[in-house]
Amino acid sequence: MNKKAVQREKLPPLDLLVSTVAHEIKNLNNCTTFNTPILREYLERLTPILDDYAENHQNLDLFGMTYPEFRKDIFNLVNNIETASSRINEIISDLMEFIKNSYKGELRWLDLKQVVEKGIAVCRSQISRRVKSFDVNISENFPQVYTDPKALEQIMVNFLINAAQAADKKNSWVKLSVKQGKGIWRDSLIIEVSDNGCGMDIATREKIFSPFFTTKASGKGTGLGLFVSNSLAEALDARIEVESAPGKGSTFRIILHKGNSSLKKDCTLAPHQLAQELVASAI
C-alpha cells in the first residue's frame, strides 16, 4: 500500500477528530457569546455611576488612562471580545461545513482597507500587550480585489500575531502596510507585516510552512498558523513571501494579483486536501 493510500485511509478518523474538537470549542465559545451582551448591559448600567464620580474627581486616573479614555476602552474591549467570539463561531461553522462536504470561499469584490481594519480589531489588544509601537499604513484609492475576505483576514491575523509574539526588544515594533506593488509587482496588491523581533535563520525559515512546526515553547503554539495561511493563499491564487534574519526581525507579505483573472473563478478551499497534507506530514 503506497503512502497516498495510507493517507486516505486515515482521513475518516481525522475527520471525526476535527469534528469532535470543533464541536467542543463551539460549546465553550457559546459561554462567551452568551455572556458578553450581559457584561455590556452591566457596564452600561454602572457607567452613569462612574460618570457622576468622575465629574467630581477631575484628575481621576485609571490604569494609566484618563477617565474618558478608560470608559471608551472598556466598551472597546467588550466589542473586541464579541468580535473574536463571533469569528470563532464562523471558523468552526466553516470547518464543520467543509468536513461534511467542501467549503467554498465566499468570493466577492471587496475593499482591502475594510478587511485589514477588521483583522486588526481582532488582535490589536494582543499586539498592544507585547509590542511598544504598532503602525498601520494603508494607501488610499485602492482598486477593489475579488477574493475571500475571511481567508484573507485569517492570513493577516496570523501574520500580526506571529509578529507580536516575536517581540524581544524594549523598542519592539510591528508595522502593517497595504500597498500597490511596483516594478515586478506592479499588477499586485500587497499586504505586508514587518517586525524587529527575534527573526529566523535560513533553516527555520525553510520549515515555517510545515504543519506542526513551531519555535514556540511547548503549549504556546500548534505550528499550524502559517501552514493554514499558506494553504489559504494558494487557494486564492496568491502567494506568501518571507524575509527574515536572526535578531533583526521578519517581514511577511501576501501578494494578491489584481490583474489575474483566476481570482474571478469559483475558489474552493478543499479541507480534505488540507487534511491529507496534515496526515502526510504526521506519518
Side-chain angles (χ1 to χ4, degrees):
M1 184 178 293
N2 62 33
K3 190 173 182 179
K4 288 186 178 179
V6 172
Q7 293 169 3
R8 283 194 294 270
E9 282 195 358
K10 289 192 175 186
L11 280 179
L14 182 61
D15 285 353
L16 179 60
L17 174 63
V18 171
S19 179
T20 302
V21 171
H23 179 73
E24 291 301 318
I25 291 173
K26 191 164 188 176
N27 281 344
L28 290 171
N29 190 51
N30 283 340
C31 177
T32 305
T33 304
F34 177 78
N35 286 312
T36 303
I38 298 174
L39 176 60
R40 180 184 286 107
E41 184 179 353
Y42 286 173
L43 289 172
E44 287 172 349
R45 295 194 177 198
L46 284 172
T47 46
I49 300 172
L50 292 174
D51 291 345
D52 289 342
Y53 181 84
E55 182 98 14
N56 298 317
H57 298 78
Q58 296 295 322
N59 295 323
L60 181 62
D61 182 273
L62 296 167
F63 304 100
M65 293 177 279
T66 64
Y67 176 70
E69 291 172 334
F70 172 76
R71 192 183 194 283
K72 182 179 179 181
D73 196 47
I74 283 181
F75 288 101
N76 283 340
L77 290 174
V78 174
N79 290 337
N80 289 343
I81 292 170
E82 195 166 51
T83 299
S85 178
S86 175
R87 182 73 179 121
I88 290 170
N89 279 334
E90 287 178 2
I91 292 171
I92 294 300
S93 295
D94 290 344
L95 181 62
M96 296 299 292
E97 180 64 25
F98 71 46
I99 283 298
K100 289 187 289 186
N101 300 292
S102 65
Y103 168 68
K104 288 184 178 295
E106 184 189 353
L107 291 175
R108 64 174 185 263
W109 290 104
L110 56 87
D111 180 354
L112 276 182
K113 184 175 182 180
Q114 293 179 357
V115 177
V116 170
E117 289 175 345
K118 187 175 180 181
I120 291 172
V122 171
C123 55
R124 183 182 289 276
S125 61
Q126 185 169 162
I127 296 171
S128 298
R129 286 198 304 270
R130 294 174 175 269
V131 177
K132 185 175 181 179
S133 171
F134 177 40
D135 296 323
V136 179
N137 183 12
I138 306 177
S139 301
E140 298 294 334
N141 302 318
F142 265 131
Q144 290 195 325
V145 61
Y146 193 73
T147 189
D148 177 1
K150 292 181 183 178
L152 199 57
E153 179 188 329
Q154 184 170 349
I155 294 169
M156 189 192 69
V157 168
N158 282 337
F159 285 179
L160 287 171
I161 290 176
N162 281 350
Q165 291 176 341
D168 65 346
K169 301 174 178 68
K170 288 184 178 180
N171 64 334
S172 60
W173 52 257
V174 170
K175 297 178 181 179
L176 181 146
S177 67
V178 184
K179 56 191 177 184
Q180 189 160 327
K182 298 178 180 179
I184 60 173
W185 292 338
R186 63 184 177 277
D187 292 325
S188 302
L189 296 174
I190 302 168
I191 299 175
E192 185 175 281
V193 176
S194 300
D195 66 74
N196 67 337
C198 57
M200 299 175 285
D201 58 27
I202 294 175
T204 300
R205 201 163 64 241
E206 289 177 347
K207 298 176 183 177
I208 57 174
F209 295 118
S210 300
F212 308 114
F213 175 78
T214 179
T215 58
K216 299 182 179 72
S218 178
K220 298 296 184 180
T222 63
L224 289 174
L226 289 176
F227 168 71
V228 170
S229 294
N230 197 44
S231 298
L232 290 171
E234 289 176 356
L236 296 175
D237 286 332
R239 75 177 188 274
I240 293 174
E241 294 194 351
V242 184
E243 297 174 10
S244 188
K248 295 183 178 180
S250 303
T251 295
F252 283 77
R253 62 179 67 93
I254 178 168
I255 302 170
L256 302 165
H257 307 289
K258 65 177 183 179
N260 190 340
S261 61
S262 64
L263 282 177
K264 299 180 183 179
K265 296 177 182 177
D266 184 27
C267 175
T268 299
L269 305 178
H272 293 293
Q273 293 176 2
L274 186 65
Q276 286 173 349
E277 291 282 348
L278 290 169
V279 172
S281 301
I283 61 178

